Amino acid sequence: MKVPLLPGARDLWLPEEAGEIVSRLREELARRPPESWWAASLSGNGPIAELEARMARWLGIPFALAVPSGTMGLWIALRAAGVGPGDEVILSPYDWGAGVAAVCALGAQPVFADIHPETFTLDPESAARRVTGRTRALIATHLFGHPADLEGLIAVARAHGLALIEDAAQALGARYRGRLVGTWGDFGVFSLGVGKAINAGEGGIVVAREEDRYLAALQASQHPLRQRRHGLAENPFAFNGRMHPLAALLALLQFEGLEDRIARHRAVARAVSEALAALPGLRPPTEAPGCEHVFSHYSLSYQGAAWGGLPRDRAVAALQAAGIPIVEGPIRVPLPHRLGRPDPCPVAERRCAQEEVELALPRLTPEDPDFERWRTALVEAIERIHCRIVGGARGYPSTRRRLAFKAPLQ
Ligand SMILES: Cc1ncc(COP(=O)(O)O)c(C=O)c1O
């Protein structure tokens, strides 16, 4: 059987059950008078307040602020943490550029520390070495949905009086020592953009445990109407960090079944990892002890030595030609390279240059017979290509497949 190609645009860009969400949105709009939601972003009432309350409850944290995007959420959190011109913020070189964009937009300087080789998240020891008298904050990204080493990073932040901002854009539902990520630092930032667990088209949420931090975020980003409602001294220069009320409604409609969707995707990812672990040359993503991954990206490690030294691009091309939905990336270039900065980050360099590959996982349940067929076809195709490249088929799991894959999927 042929391995299905990359999921279609529908799978990548729309939430599951998009049609159902749209019909519920129509019902909501018919039910709510326009004056109850149209201008809600100014006051923070209506669907904005509902989404904030829902998110705060879901996360088990007292304060949540709806914002237009994860990037804007990072800017707001940094601003509320007092980051400004001349300050330094330590972050990961192995990331998308949102944190760097937010740091630079405040006139501050991004400083890169290296990553952990297995979890790909900021390494606390490396971060500690980059602290200077100008450092104000750390951004810990829970990359691909794997929790960062929060204990280590909190210790660094405490030792040097730094704010810790969790970039949980990709990690809604991930847990560190049993507690949801985003709720550990001074601020947690989530994205509700395309491809995220809650996909409102665009959107973000900033959360905080301390009221003064929440109010500082609100004062930096919300309309004076709302600032006054909270008894704040009016900041007429607040940036527009307000969420569109229709995005808030779209987000609210996606809480139903959220835990199940996250759990199902995690189970699919773990079942794929179980199958791949038996193969040479493609190391599945790690879940560090005490961490629950959500696998927003299923990022593997290509191990060239096990492919006879074949460069990654050629192996990926061969795997793609066999129909496997695998790509080099998704990051490919460490952020310091893009900024022309010298910060040495050898682990991130190696990951980008040689190791990172991403596999697109199907939107199936692990119990679905189609998933088992997909997984079997995937393993057989990888074995076939690997065998063609390095020779010798002995010891591949397809010969022991029936045995190996009878293991429970969880
Ligand atoms: C790790 C990370 N941080 C921040 C962002 C920015 O979020 P947004 O696209 O909502 O601005 C993203 C978006 O994908 C992300 O993956």
Side-chain angles (χ1 to χ4, degrees):
M1 183 201 175
K2 216 169 149 39
V3 179
L5 289 171
L6 271 170
R10 197 183 161 79
D11 276 0
L12 291 171
W13 306 128
L14 301 187
E16 279 181 57
E17 295 159 11
E20 170 72 11
I21 293 170
V22 170
S23 43
R24 295 216 25 225
L25 179 66
R26 284 204 192 95
E27 284 165 26
E28 285 294 320
L29 291 176
R31 191 171 69 76
R32 293 171 189 247
E35 56 273 23
S36 74
W37 62 267
W38 205 292
S41 68
L42 300 191
S43 61
N45 291 327
I48 302 290
E50 288 170 48
L51 175 63
E52 290 172 348
R54 190 77 198 257
M55 190 58 123
R57 206 167 60 239
W58 199 88
L59 292 168
I61 198 164
F63 302 106
L65 188 67
V67 298
S69 68
T71 308
M72 190 64 197
L74 289 168
W75 183 93
I76 292 166
L78 288 163
R79 179 90 179 77
V83 172
D87 292 335
E88 292 178 356
V89 177
I90 297 172
L91 31 62
S92 168
Y94 185 59
D95 203 335
W96 279 262
V100 170
V103 169
C104 294
L106 286 162
Q109 179 78 21
V111 172
F112 297 99
D114 212 347
I115 54 169
H116 187 279
E118 302 267 321
T119 67
F120 320 135
T121 60
L122 196 63
D123 172 3
E125 280 178 24
S126 177
R129 286 196 295 275
R130 303 292 155 91
V131 174
T132 71
R134 290 186 299 280
T135 311
R136 262 322 252 275
L138 298 174
I139 298 181
T141 300
H142 304 299
L143 194 75
F144 306 142
H146 189 290
D149 179 351
L150 286 166
E151 201 174 289
L153 292 168
I154 287 169
V156 175
R158 288 221 177 109
H160 300 278
L162 312 175
L164 177 66
I165 294 166
E166 294 179 68
D167 179 345
Q170 302 179 356
L172 186 64
R175 286 175 191 272
Y176 180 80
R177 304 211 193 293
R179 186 163 124 203
L180 288 164
V181 304
T183 66
W184 290 77
D186 296 294
F187 293 98
V189 178
F190 295 87
S191 168
L192 309 183
V194 171
K196 304 301 190 295
I198 293 180
N199 172 354
E202 291 291 351
I205 299 279
V206 177
V207 299
R209 274 172 294 127
E210 309 289 340
E211 187 172 24
D212 57 344
R213 294 190 181 278
Y214 160 71
L215 291 176
L218 193 153
Q219 200 173 29
S221 64
Q222 302 299 305
H223 194 276
L225 250 180
R226 185 170 183 189
Q227 295 177 33
R228 282 201 295 276
R229 210 160 58 69
H230 288 271
L232 292 167
E234 192 173 306
N235 168 20
F237 306 117
F239 233 74
N240 179 348
R242 308 187 291 269
M243 180 183 275
H244 195 291
L246 286 177
L249 280 175
L250 277 173
L252 273 166
L253 293 169
Q254 291 172 56
F255 278 88
E256 204 176 306
L258 178 61
E259 282 93 347
D260 288 349
R261 289 198 301 279
I262 292 170
R264 195 190 56 203
H265 183 70
R266 180 185 283 134
V268 163
R270 286 178 178 164
V272 171
S273 294
E274 182 196 312
L276 294 182
L279 290 173
L282 283 175
R283 200 180 71 224
T286 311
E287 273 186 287
C291 292
E292 267 189 86
H293 204 324
V294 288
F295 303 96
S296 306
H297 290 261
Y298 189 79
S299 182
L300 302 138
S301 301
Y302 174 70
Q303 297 169 312
W307 292 78
L310 189 73
R312 178 182 55 183
D313 58 341
R314 291 189 40 210
V316 165
L319 293 165
Q320 285 174 344
I324 296 170
I326 196 166
V327 291
E328 289 185 89
I331 294 176
R332 295 170 77 171
V333 181
L335 292 170
H337 286 212
R338 298 201 184 262
L339 292 178
R341 279 190 62 94
D343 318 26
C345 299
V347 181
E349 302 272 343
R350 192 177 62 243
R351 173 106 197 123
C352 287
Q354 298 167 21
E355 289 177 359
E356 63 161 8
V357 288
E358 180 177 1
L359 183 70
L361 300 183
R363 271 187 187 170
L364 295 168
T365 61
E367 299 76 28
D368 189 330
D370 277 350
F371 172 66
E372 193 47 56
R373 280 195 278 277
W374 183 90
R375 188 170 77 151
T376 304
L378 174 76
V379 168
E380 286 179 352
I382 295 172
E383 284 178 353
R384 207 168 52 245
I385 303 299
H386 187 263
C387 178
R388 209 171 69 211
I389 290 170
V390 303
R394 250 172 242 285
Y396 285 138
S398 69
T399 51
R400 331 184 282 266
R401 186 181 330 122
R402 302 291 165 244
L403 193 69
F405 292 170
K406 285 235 166 81
L409 293 179
Q410 281 271 38

